Amino acid sequence: MALTDDHVVFPNGILVDWCAIVEMIDTGRKCFKFSEQGVWEIMIFSETTRWLRQLAATDGAPTMLVSGKPMHRIKNVDPMQDTRSKAAAVAPMRGRVLDTATGLGYTAIEAARTAKHITTIELDPAALEIAKHNPWSRLLFSSEKIVQRIGSAFDVVNEFEDGSFDVILHDPPTKSLAGELYSGEFYSRLFRVLSRNGKVFHYVGDPDSGLGATTTQGVIRRLYESGFRKVVRKPEAFGVVAYKSLPGREAPGSRRPMQTRTKRGMSPVKPSEFVRSSRRQ
């Protein structure tokens, strides 16, 4: 990059006059692309969702605004730190991972550091167009570990076989934008495609806010109703982790029935007896 009295000269030879630079600085956190055709804000109105998507600058990696709402935490934390906290909630990530909301691809990229294979689903092609202009998203399009799917996660999950994934990272838009991704029906679909000892991280929102606390309670209740055996709050990641089986034990149905000793030998414990026994522990 070179500076003259009238222009900024970028490495690709594009010249931008100082008036345009000052105007961009005054717009705040907007991100721009420079080309031979001029300077334009990285912003797309989606014909699929009718949402306006924008790439927005932070003190670290950019975030994406969807109808004005940031898709990452940006208060006292940057989007990459936010992503790492979500991944840490289900660490270690091994085997096959499902990312239910691609966005800028940060979650899939972080999972690719340790997991064998990542499938990531994006509802809106406009989100991927935004990601293509973001240098922090490059591995989303170049990593051989990452496979992209386009469509609603609510529907695409139905296409996977039972037990397809060891870890699911569920970081949906807000409930007001994607209520079906907070439903018991969707949680049942996630339960089905999890492996026997699989786990789900579900981003919910600020647990200290009134809305976040209420949403978290509903999410936990519906996860249990969908079959998950244990749900743990992860306030540092603004979410919860749901386990298909109790940590340290095999999933239901993966072992022979429990047995008790009788005068005639060993006999299976009835399911109702097992439930009562578990409650006493």
Side-chain angles (χ1 to χ4, degrees):
M1 181 183 295
L3 308 179
T4 71
D5 291 339
D6 301 317
H7 300 90
V8 175
V9 184
F10 287 86
N12 57 3
I14 295 174
L15 279 68
V16 181
D17 65 71
W18 281 108
C19 290
I21 296 293
V22 171
E23 184 178 346
M24 284 185 285
I25 293 174
D26 289 342
T27 61
R29 293 190 176 275
K30 295 181 179 180
C31 293
F32 296 86
K33 181 176 177 62
F34 304 96
S35 70
E36 295 178 354
Q37 288 71 40
V39 180
W40 51 279
E41 182 184 349
I42 301 177
M43 174 179 65
I44 299 176
F45 178 75
S46 172
E47 295 295 337
T48 300
T49 61
R50 314 301 291 178
W51 296 340
L52 178 65
R53 292 183 178 268
Q54 300 164 277
L55 193 65
T58 74
D59 292 337
T63 187
M64 186 187 298
L65 302 182
V66 178
S67 298
K69 298 178 181 179
M71 293 295 100
H72 302 87
R73 287 188 289 153
I74 57 175
K75 184 178 181 180
N76 301 322
V77 63
D78 71 44
M80 283 302 185
Q81 292 171 321
D82 179 37
T83 299
R84 286 192 289 269
S85 70
K86 297 167 186 174
V90 286
M93 277 193 287
R94 299 282 190 262
R96 303 154 297 169
V97 174
L98 174 64
D99 170 27
T100 65
T102 307
L104 291 174
Y106 296 163
T107 300
I109 291 169
E110 180 65 23
R113 292 164 54 89
T114 57
K116 181 179 180 180
H117 183 275
I118 298 89
T119 299
T120 182
I121 306 171
E122 176 53 54
L123 168 67
D124 193 352
L128 300 180
E129 288 302 313
I130 292 286
K132 289 176 181 178
H133 296 294
N134 179 27
W136 283 264
S137 299
R138 286 173 181 161
L139 282 175
L140 175 64
F141 304 99
S142 61
S143 174
E144 294 181 355
K145 290 184 176 182
I146 300 174
V147 173
Q148 297 180 34
R149 296 287 300 270
I150 301 294
S152 167
F154 188 84
D155 298 321
V156 173
V157 166
N158 271 346
E159 301 173 15
F160 302 130
E161 296 181 358
D162 293 2
S164 293
F165 301 100
D166 303 298
V167 177
I168 296 177
L169 295 162
H170 184 42
D171 185 8
T174 61
K175 193 174 180 181
S176 61
L177 292 176
E180 72 280 3
L181 299 185
Y182 293 78
S183 68
E185 173 61 29
F186 185 63
Y187 298 161
S188 295
R189 297 180 185 189
L190 295 184
F191 185 88
R192 181 186 64 79
V193 300
L194 267 180
S195 60
R196 287 180 174 179
N197 294 302
K199 52 192 172 181
V200 177
F201 172 77
H202 188 327
Y203 179 85
V204 181
D206 185 356
D208 293 328
S209 69
L211 179 60
T214 301
T215 302
T216 299
Q217 291 174 359
V219 164
I220 291 174
R221 174 178 56 79
R222 289 188 294 277
L223 285 168
Y224 275 121
E225 291 173 350
S226 301
F228 288 92
R229 298 292 301 280
K230 184 175 182 180
V231 182
V232 179
R233 295 173 186 262
K234 296 288 183 177
E236 71 281 2
F238 281 31
V240 300
V241 173
Y243 297 85
K244 188 166 185 175
S245 64
L246 295 176
R249 303 184 186 181
E250 294 184 46
S254 63
R255 301 178 62 183
R256 295 178 180 177
M258 294 179 62
Q259 295 179 322
T260 56
R261 186 172 298 278
T262 68
K263 291 182 179 180
R264 296 184 179 181
M266 302 295 289
S267 63
V269 173
K270 297 178 182 178
S272 58
E273 294 174 351
F274 175 66
V275 171
R276 288 197 297 272
S277 175
S278 298
R279 288 174 178 171
R280 289 195 297 266
Q281 294 178 358

